[in-house]
Amino acid sequence: MFGRKATMVDPARALPGRDAPMPVHVEHAVLGTPLTPPYPEGSEIADVAMGCFWGAERIFWRLGAERGIITTAVGYAGGYTPNPTYEEVCSGLTGHTEVVRVVFDPQRITYAEILKAFWEGHDPTQGMRQGNDAGTQYRSAVYHHDEAQRAVSEATRDGFQPVLTAAGYGPITTEIAPLKAFYFAEDYHQQYLSDAKNPNGYCGIGGTGTSCPIGVVGSGGAAG
């Protein structure tokens, strides 16, 4: 992948972007569900960044509709440029991460379980990179939608850190922040590693081989 910028761009120097949103295909290439809102009543959204979004998205759609995954999509968040292109994000001049959006049924899968897949699916200690993919767009992040999600994000992070430390890893560098905006990525990035598109495509994502404990973390962050 392209980006190598190791420090966040100054907001005043970020690219200007554009008003028009990125057009995307209406249907998920694997699940057959809509990529864009409106989503089913009662569904919730998780927005996470864990390196290159191609392999990251696959982790979540593979959890399956039977586990409560309604749809997944890739996009950009955490930066300054409205409706950026992939090339702009990879330049490091938008401040965005490559994000996976997971729409899920909280009656079938909890936000904590979504984050368990997130924490275990990548190495959250690497700062502005993930494996061989270096650049600010590859940083680890959780963008929460409300205070309940923030609490679960922080509780699962704090529960996972001792496990990583015991395994010889350093401090978690994951950014945890409120979601300001999610911009859909170009259509060809959506479900990029699906059988319908690139079943043998590049995937640099990899976890630490450790398990994130979530047994005491409820969907709202409370013990239970």
Side-chain angles (χ1 to χ4, degrees):
M1 311 302 281
F2 312 134
R4 293 289 173 180
K5 189 172 178 59
T7 57
M8 285 289 287
V9 64
D10 187 304
R13 296 186 60 247
L15 297 175
R18 56 203 49 82
D19 293 331
M22 192 68 64
V24 295
H25 191 68
V26 66
E27 189 174 276
H28 195 285
V30 178
L31 301 175
T33 48
L35 289 189
T36 59
Y39 300 123
E41 184 176 355
S43 61
E44 295 186 12
I45 298 173
D47 288 313
V48 297
M50 47 199 294
C52 177
F53 51 21
W54 294 341
E57 186 189 13
R58 183 171 61 181
I59 288 173
F60 294 102
W61 85 56
R62 281 181 168 175
L63 291 176
E66 65 279 2
R67 286 286 307 280
I69 302 302
I70 296 169
T71 198
T72 63
V74 296
Y76 313 114
Y80 315 109
T81 301
N83 298 298
T85 67
Y86 180 66
E87 289 73 18
E88 288 172 342
V89 171
C90 286
S91 75
L93 297 177
T94 72
H96 290 299
T97 56
E98 294 190 12
V99 170
V100 178
R101 167 157 287 189
V102 185
V103 183
F104 64 99
D105 179 353
Q107 300 301 314
R108 303 179 71 180
I109 188 169
T110 66
Y111 186 62
E113 289 173 316
I114 296 289
L115 291 186
K116 178 177 174 65
F118 161 76
W119 293 118
E120 293 177 358
H122 74 304
D123 180 351
T125 71
Q126 294 193 19
M128 299 298 184
R129 56 182 286 267
Q130 194 62 211
N132 292 327
D133 295 333
T136 56
Q137 76 272 31
Y138 299 118
R139 69 189 186 274
S140 175
V142 178
Y143 298 112
H144 52 81
H145 288 247
D146 54 32
E147 282 301 298
Q149 285 195 354
R150 179 196 60 77
V152 175
S153 302
E154 293 178 353
T156 53
R157 175 199 62 195
D158 295 346
F160 196 30
Q161 182 64 72
V163 176
L164 290 173
T165 300
Y169 290 88
I172 290 173
T173 60
T174 301
E175 172 186 356
I176 295 178
L179 179 76
K180 295 180 179 179
F182 172 89
Y183 302 105
F184 283 93
E186 294 85 340
D187 185 65
Y188 75 93
H189 291 298
Q190 306 295 338
Q191 300 86 61
Y192 182 85
L193 294 181
S194 65
D195 289 344
K197 291 188 175 182
N198 295 283
N200 298 311
Y202 168 84
C203 176
I205 200 165
T208 59
T210 57
S211 179
C212 177
I214 63 167
V216 297
V217 179
S219 60

